[in-house]
Amino acid sequence: MTTKRSTVQYDLLVRDAALPDGRTGIDIAVSGGKIAAVAPHAELASIGGAAEVDAAGQLVTPPFVDAHFHMDSTLSYGLPRVNASGTLLEGIALWGELKPTLTTDAIVERALQYCDWAVGKGLLAIRSHVDVCDPRLMAVDALLDVRKRVAPYLDLQLVAFPQDGVLRSEGAQTNLERALDKGVDVVGGIPHFERTMAEGAASVRILCAIAAARGLRVDMHCDETDDPMSRHIESLARETLRHGLGGRVTGSHLTSMHSMDNYYVSKLIPLIAEAGVAAVANPLINITIQGRHDTYPKRRGMTRVPELMAAGIDVALGHDCVLDPWYPLGAADMLEVAHMGIHVAQMTGRQAMRACFDAVTTVPARILGLEGYGLQPGCNADFVLLEARDPVEAIRLKATRLAVVRRGRIIATTPSATTALELAGRPAATRYRIG
Ligand SMILES: [Zn+2]
């Protein structure tokens, strides 16, 4: 019997990459938009014919993923005015002022611009909430259009978000279900914004039942407040268990946990773990918006990230807002998000910093349920070449995205940040190796 040796024609070969798991000197071969092989340099060295990228020992990571964003309000900063108090509640009021003046074209244009920024930063999957408390569902239609238009280069997942409360805002439940009928992917909620704690809990029951009946995922804005008695995450975990939705439900923000009684939290975290509910903290926004009613000392207001992680709960770090009624800064840079997360949660240990890199890559990919994500053979050939040697250095430098690859095609490049230093005869002066 003779075996015919197949000659695999690779489309792209990335040479000499470092991987997030610590491996170095790795080649990545791409064929037909998928990762065909990941192997030490010598093993793939003899196969030619493909376009080649020399990673020169730099880090190749799966793309950044943002598990929490608001694409219907992004890039609207200053319209119709800026948020003077800096609070969540003024931001919601401001968004209410802006809503009647929105047009589909304006939402689409701003969203597409943001997606361009995202691609340049290697951010290739975003879960965006979309406000469904407008009977016209203008933002829903706009973002469904954007989802289709960006699909070749970015995965956009949409959450039906009743910003003004599914019970508090008249017709919101009907509008939410209409949005889901139109193809919005995930059921959202905002229990702490309902009129009472009891109605907040009722909203969680209603929304989880809708998700279970439709076979959808859930992601609620939950307990985004400094009030330690805001305990809707408890109801969310209970309803997740009741409907068998484990692994498909996310509690976003959970900032009240920062201020909760420690004894209560010692019971709550195991419940969240038992239910298989994931958490998303949004460090840039939480540190900015929470604690605004405090004098001194001022609370940080971010949820208990290291403690949730230690309990085995999936915790992602999200961007939440960029240039909108709630936040005046931002640049679609998930390394900036991870950087702030490390500071706010005081996660400065090596493993803790490393976990914050996962919290903007692999963990949110799992929360979104992305298929074919990763650097194993068979995965989609989506990855980012960073000008850094490892994940911690990437966070420290907010490293340049030298190349962004989607389905095996280079879709964005950025010039090296150290070129100027090299010209001055001081290559990589920002580099530092421990030990
Ligand atoms: Zn949000």
Side-chain angles (χ1 to χ4, degrees):
M1 193 175 111
T2 53
T3 311
K4 199 173 169 191
R5 190 174 171 168
S6 67
T7 10
V8 183
Q9 181 59 55
Y10 295 136
D11 306 320
L12 177 69
L13 265 173
V14 179
R15 298 288 198 192
D16 190 21
L19 302 187
D21 63 12
R23 282 181 286 166
T24 56
I26 299 295
D27 287 359
I28 301 168
V30 170
S31 180
K34 302 274 186 193
I35 292 175
V38 179
H41 187 46
E43 292 179 23
L44 292 179
S46 60
I47 302 166
E52 291 202 15
V53 172
D54 182 9
Q58 313 272 24
L59 180 66
V60 170
T61 176
F64 296 105
V65 180
D66 185 359
H68 190 109
F69 195 64
H70 293 265
M71 206 172 280
D72 50 357
S73 56
T74 195
L75 309 194
S76 69
Y77 177 67
L79 298 175
R81 58 185 177 82
V82 300
N83 184 335
S85 68
T87 60
L88 173 69
L89 296 181
E90 185 177 342
I92 293 174
L94 195 46
W95 175 237
E97 290 172 35
L98 178 59
K99 261 196 271 189
T101 69
L102 289 174
T103 65
T104 309
D105 288 350
I107 297 170
V108 169
E109 189 183 329
R110 291 196 282 255
L112 289 175
Q113 184 176 352
Y114 184 77
C115 289
D116 285 347
W117 292 8
V119 168
K121 294 290 186 189
L123 168 55
L124 299 187
I126 300 174
R127 173 182 278 183
S128 173
H129 297 255
V130 51
D131 189 355
V132 296
C133 287
D134 161 20
R136 301 169 299 171
L137 293 183
M138 180 188 286
V140 170
D141 289 334
L143 291 193
L144 285 169
D145 181 31
V146 169
R147 185 178 71 182
K148 197 163 35 172
R149 288 161 71 163
V150 302
Y153 54 92
L154 186 147
D155 295 306
L156 178 59
Q157 189 178 81
L158 298 175
V159 185
F161 175 46
Q163 171 77 75
D164 301 325
V166 73
L167 296 175
R168 184 170 170 178
S169 170
E170 202 183 327
Q173 187 179 333
T174 308
N175 294 333
L176 180 137
E177 299 214 50
R178 282 172 55 217
L180 298 175
D181 290 341
K182 282 172 176 274
V184 170
D185 309 277
V186 178
V187 178
I190 186 164
H192 58 277
F193 197 68
E194 302 290 355
R195 289 187 178 88
T196 64
M197 287 292 171
E199 289 189 3
S203 79
V204 172
R205 283 195 296 275
I206 291 165
L207 293 163
C208 285
I210 290 172
R214 290 174 176 257
L216 297 177
R217 290 172 188 267
V218 175
D219 188 341
M220 292 193 197
H221 284 65
C222 196
D223 304 320
E224 189 184 3
T225 160
D226 294 315
D227 174 7
M229 297 311 291
S230 188
R231 295 177 169 186
H232 298 296
I233 178 58
E234 183 184 80
S235 300
L236 185 59
R238 182 67 191 95
E239 293 309 302
T240 299
L241 286 169
R242 189 187 315 284
H243 293 288
L245 288 168
R248 303 170 62 79
V249 174
T250 301
S252 278
H253 290 296
L254 306 179
T255 55
S256 72
M257 285 184 72
H258 187 91
S259 301
M260 280 176 183
D261 172 73
N262 288 328
Y263 183 85
Y264 174 69
V265 171
S266 75
K267 175 169 176 278
L268 177 62
I269 288 183
L271 173 66
I272 298 171
E274 179 195 359
V277 171
V280 180
N282 298 296
L284 292 161
I285 304 325
N286 298 152
I287 194 71
T288 307
I289 282 186
Q290 301 305 314
R292 289 275 179 161
H293 296 262
D294 294 354
T295 55
Y296 286 94
K298 291 179 191 285
R299 285 167 285 182
R300 294 165 190 238
M302 189 166 80
T303 195
R304 304 190 186 200
V305 171
E307 292 78 9
L308 288 162
M309 286 179 175
I313 294 161
D314 273 344
V315 183
L317 300 174
H319 207 319
D320 198 4
C321 300
V322 170
L323 292 167
D324 70 7
W326 297 274
Y327 188 58
L329 298 169
D333 187 347
M334 296 309 292
L335 288 173
E336 187 184 356
V337 172
H339 191 265
M340 180 59 85
I342 286 169
H343 288 76
V344 180
Q346 299 183 327
M347 291 178 67
T348 46
R350 290 292 293 178
Q351 286 307 314
M353 291 193 285
R354 185 63 191 70
C356 287
F357 189 84
D358 292 341
V360 294
T361 50
T362 52
V363 174
R366 200 154 56 229
I367 289 173
L368 267 66
L370 293 181
E371 287 174 9
Y373 179 91
L375 292 178
Q376 301 80 35
C379 289
N380 291 325
D382 300 350
F383 48 82
V384 184
L385 172 60
L386 294 165
E387 191 167 27
R389 289 170 304 209
D390 60 59
V392 172
E393 187 173 66
I395 294 172
R396 182 171 66 83
L397 297 173
K398 269 79 85 191
T400 302
R401 282 66 165 177
L402 296 170
V404 179
V405 175
R406 170 85 167 180
R407 306 294 192 261
R409 227 164 41 82
I410 297 172
I411 59 170
T413 58
T414 309
S416 160
T418 60
T419 307
L421 292 163
E422 282 166 12
L423 290 174
R426 298 182 58 198
T430 55
R431 295 303 183 74
Y432 184 81
R433 190 178 285 284
I434 289 176

